[in-house]
Amino acid sequence: MTLRKRLDRIGADVKAKATSRSAWVLPKQASSFAPADTWTNKDNDVTPVERRTWTAFTILGFWFSDALNMQGWEAPSSIIAVGLTWREAILCNCLGMMIVAIPMMFNGAIGANLHVPYPVAARSGFGFHFAKFAVVVRFVTALFWHSIQTFSGSFALTNCISAIWPSYLNIPNHIPASMGVTTQQMASHVLFWCIQLPILLIPPHKLRWFFIFKAVVVTASSIGVAAGMVKYASSVGDIWAQEPLVHGSQRAWLILTCMMSSAGGWATMATNIPDFTRYMRGTKGQYWQGLFLPVISTFLAVMAIIATSAGKVVYGQYIWDPSVLASMWTGPKGRTARFFVGFAWVVGQIGTNLSANVITAANDLTSLFPKYINIRRGAIVVTVIGGWVMQPWKIINSAASLLTFMAGLAIFLAPVAGVLASDYWIVKRRKIDVPALYDPHGRYKYWYGINWRAAVAFAISLGPNLPGLANSVSPSLGLKGGIVHLWDVNYLYGFYVTVVVYVSLNLIFPAKETFVPEMISGDVWVGSAPYGESDVIDSVGEDGSLDTSVEKNRLEVETEKF
């Protein structure tokens, strides 16, 4: 009877949502800071104390979860393939991670101190409405990568299944070649998507043990594959003796390009890291990621190079794709190893999708459509669009130009990260009015919700990089000279030029209405009166909005502080 009642309720809910848009409206949270005419929900609000469970150890597990993935294993291949050596591949990877770790730590402190997600934190520098543009840019990036990494995970799942049932690889194909996918690949994609979906619905603050599990599994697998291939080949291969295929200035610019590619791959995380550090228990643990990311990425790159070089001795060719390498293993021991390596990369891809893509994009949707979407609904929307609507098998088959364009999205994300970091650390000096971030008519509305200073800094950062992006996507344009070489340092230019321009404009034309003498914490605003004034918080309405007398009293207290 209990099951029947539950099914009846589900059926009634589905019927209501199919016939009425109002049935999709989320209940407004009583803890919301938004005024009566603005909708928000719990996932956009300040993270409550009971959800702040992350520590430095959790951050370590998080970066093991995020950085250990199939794309990270394959990264050295692209660097060596263009003519550089393994030493330069490791150097580019390590320095690229260090470059992007700087804005990552600065922006991570915003989440750890304010306990708000990135879409809300961005309102301080961009303005309440212009921040939505920054959110959309990041959402598109996360959506594409979720699509690609989901389909990549299906290849790892194929290794698991074929290790048990080898005939799985012989499924007849009934899908036209024009679709870019076979029946067997589609079956693996469906299975992987179904396995991944329930994990994506777990609330972010409960994911720390999954990150730790992935860290152990993928690390052990990476070491095992490298050691096993060296033992099997009785040699580490000839890759260590390779000489560079390019020389002179071309080699120098190529090193910078590869370095920016490594940094650009994490440009999204450097921007949206507050989505995760908002769950930090303290404010200092997140700074360890400045060490964790370069070390973990370099470790994976070294394991990949060793395994691939040894594979050249065994198979006569460099096999950079870990799923293809595992598929070469036969016999009882080989199939057993193939299963466990495939399982490790299944966990790895799900973990990366969780940390880098789904939670990221879901937070974006909750900010853009708070009346209808929370993190759980956002995760469902993202994985349905990324897994099926975007048809990732066609994305992968469309070759390097699209991937180059996606990496080029870093030029859009670099100025966003620059505004976010410089606004918090230099312009506002960490003194943010957290409740005002939720008010479209509050101190961060600037000019019609747009901070023109951020817009100018964004344009100056983006403009000179666009010709280089166009040339990388379509080399037939034949662009030459300094404008192309600027693209070789695109992330460094984009981030630091934005910081200089944005800070300079704020020094010349300060937005004084956005300054407060001390940070106004969301915790203080909810739990007790700011600055010790017991009469500041009179009431919070049933709809979650603040009483008008509250705002008046708060402004009076701030005036006295000034």
Side-chain angles (χ1 to χ4, degrees), residues 300-314:
L300 187 62
V302 171
M303 293 299 103
I305 290 174
I306 292 174
T308 304
S309 184
K312 175 70 159 45
V313 177
V314 179

Side-chain angles (χ1 to χ4, degrees), residues 252-331:
W253 286 114
L254 187 58
I255 290 174
L256 288 174
T257 300
C258 294
M259 198 181 300
M260 290 305 103
S261 296
S262 297
W266 295 102
T268 304
M269 289 301 299
T271 305
N272 72 268
I273 192 63
D275 283 342
F276 303 95
T277 55
R278 64 185 292 205
Y279 298 105
M280 293 294 298
R281 184 181 301 165
T283 59
K284 297 180 180 180
Q286 70 90 22
Y287 290 106
W288 280 99
Q289 61 187 325
L291 174 65
F292 293 156
L293 177 59
V295 170
I296 294 170
S297 297
T298 302
F299 158 76
L300 187 62
V302 171
M303 293 299 103
I305 290 174
I306 292 174
T308 304
S309 184
K312 175 70 159 45
V313 177
V314 179
Y315 305 113
Q317 59 179 322
Y318 293 123
I319 304 176
W320 294 97
D321 188 332
S323 61
V324 175
L325 181 63
S327 69
M328 307 292 289
W329 304 337
T330 58

Side-chain angles (χ1 to χ4, degrees), residues 174-381:
H174 301 290
I175 299 178
S178 59
M179 290 294 294
V181 64
T182 66
T183 301
Q184 181 270 310
Q185 291 172 342
M186 180 61 72
S188 294
H189 182 63
V190 171
L191 290 172
F192 182 84
W193 189 89
C194 291
I195 293 171
Q196 178 178 251
L197 178 61
I199 301 176
L200 300 183
L201 301 182
I202 300 174
H205 63 284
K206 296 181 179 179
L207 291 173
R208 56 178 180 168
W209 292 112
F210 182 84
F211 295 152
I212 294 171
F213 174 69
K214 175 189 170 178
V216 174
V217 170
V218 179
T219 301
S221 173
S222 300
I223 296 174
V225 170
M229 289 303 301
V230 169
K231 181 179 180 181
Y232 189 40
S234 299
S235 169
V236 294
D238 62 354
I239 200 171
W240 313 104
Q242 279 187 341
E243 295 295 329
L245 301 180
V246 291
H247 304 277
S249 61
Q250 181 184 0
R251 183 183 180 189
W253 286 114
L254 187 58
I255 290 174
L256 288 174
T257 300
C258 294
M259 198 181 300
M260 290 305 103
S261 296
S262 297
W266 295 102
T268 304
M269 289 301 299
T271 305
N272 72 268
I273 192 63
D275 283 342
F276 303 95
T277 55
R278 64 185 292 205
Y279 298 105
M280 293 294 298
R281 184 181 301 165
T283 59
K284 297 180 180 180
Q286 70 90 22
Y287 290 106
W288 280 99
Q289 61 187 325
L291 174 65
F292 293 156
L293 177 59
V295 170
I296 294 170
S297 297
T298 302
F299 158 76
L300 187 62
V302 171
M303 293 299 103
I305 290 174
I306 292 174
T308 304
S309 184
K312 175 70 159 45
V313 177
V314 179
Y315 305 113
Q317 59 179 322
Y318 293 123
I319 304 176
W320 294 97
D321 188 332
S323 61
V324 175
L325 181 63
S327 69
M328 307 292 289
W329 304 337
T330 58
K333 292 183 179 179
R335 287 167 56 185
T336 301
R338 188 200 314 170
F339 173 84
F340 284 108
V341 170
F343 173 77
W345 289 121
V346 166
V347 174
Q349 293 304 98
I350 293 176
T352 298
N353 264 334
L354 271 169
S355 55
N357 301 319
V358 174
I359 295 176
T360 292
N363 271 304
D364 293 339
L365 289 177
T366 63
S367 173
L368 297 171
F369 308 102
K371 190 173 183 178
Y372 299 100
I373 297 179
N374 54 23
I375 285 185
R376 177 166 292 187
R377 289 185 182 181
I380 295 173
V381 171

Side-chain angles (χ1 to χ4, degrees), residues 74-134:
E74 297 167 355
S77 65
S78 61
I79 298 177
I80 295 177
V82 296
L84 299 179
T85 66
W86 67 270
R87 298 178 185 85
E88 291 158 338
I90 294 177
L91 178 67
C92 290
N93 183 80
C94 186
L95 292 181
M97 295 301 101
M98 293 174 66
I99 289 171
V100 80
I102 295 174
M104 197 172 294
M105 287 188 295
F106 283 133
N107 290 332
I110 299 175
N113 286 305
L114 305 184
H115 299 289
V116 296
Y118 157 76
V120 174
R123 295 169 184 171
S124 172
F126 285 89
F128 192 91
H129 294 304
F130 190 42
K132 296 177 181 178
F133 169 75

Side-chain angles (χ1 to χ4, degrees), residues 395-408 469-475 487:
I395 295 177
I396 291 178
N397 286 338
S398 60
S401 60
L402 181 56
L403 293 177
T404 300
F405 174 76
M406 289 176 60
L469 172 62
N471 190 68
S472 65
V473 175
S474 301
W487 170 256

Side-chain angles (χ1 to χ4, degrees), residues 111-183:
N113 286 305
L114 305 184
H115 299 289
V116 296
Y118 157 76
V120 174
R123 295 169 184 171
S124 172
F126 285 89
F128 192 91
H129 294 304
F130 190 42
K132 296 177 181 178
F133 169 75
V135 170
V136 169
V137 170
R138 191 195 62 170
F139 172 76
V140 172
T141 308
L143 198 62
F144 269 95
W145 278 115
H146 171 65
S147 181
I148 290 174
Q149 288 175 340
T150 296
F151 194 56
S152 297
S154 67
F155 292 109
L157 184 61
T158 296
N159 280 331
C160 290
I161 299 174
S162 63
I164 302 174
W165 299 287
S167 60
Y168 180 75
L169 297 174
N170 301 323
I171 295 177
N173 181 41
H174 301 290
I175 299 178
S178 59
M179 290 294 294
V181 64
T182 66
T183 301

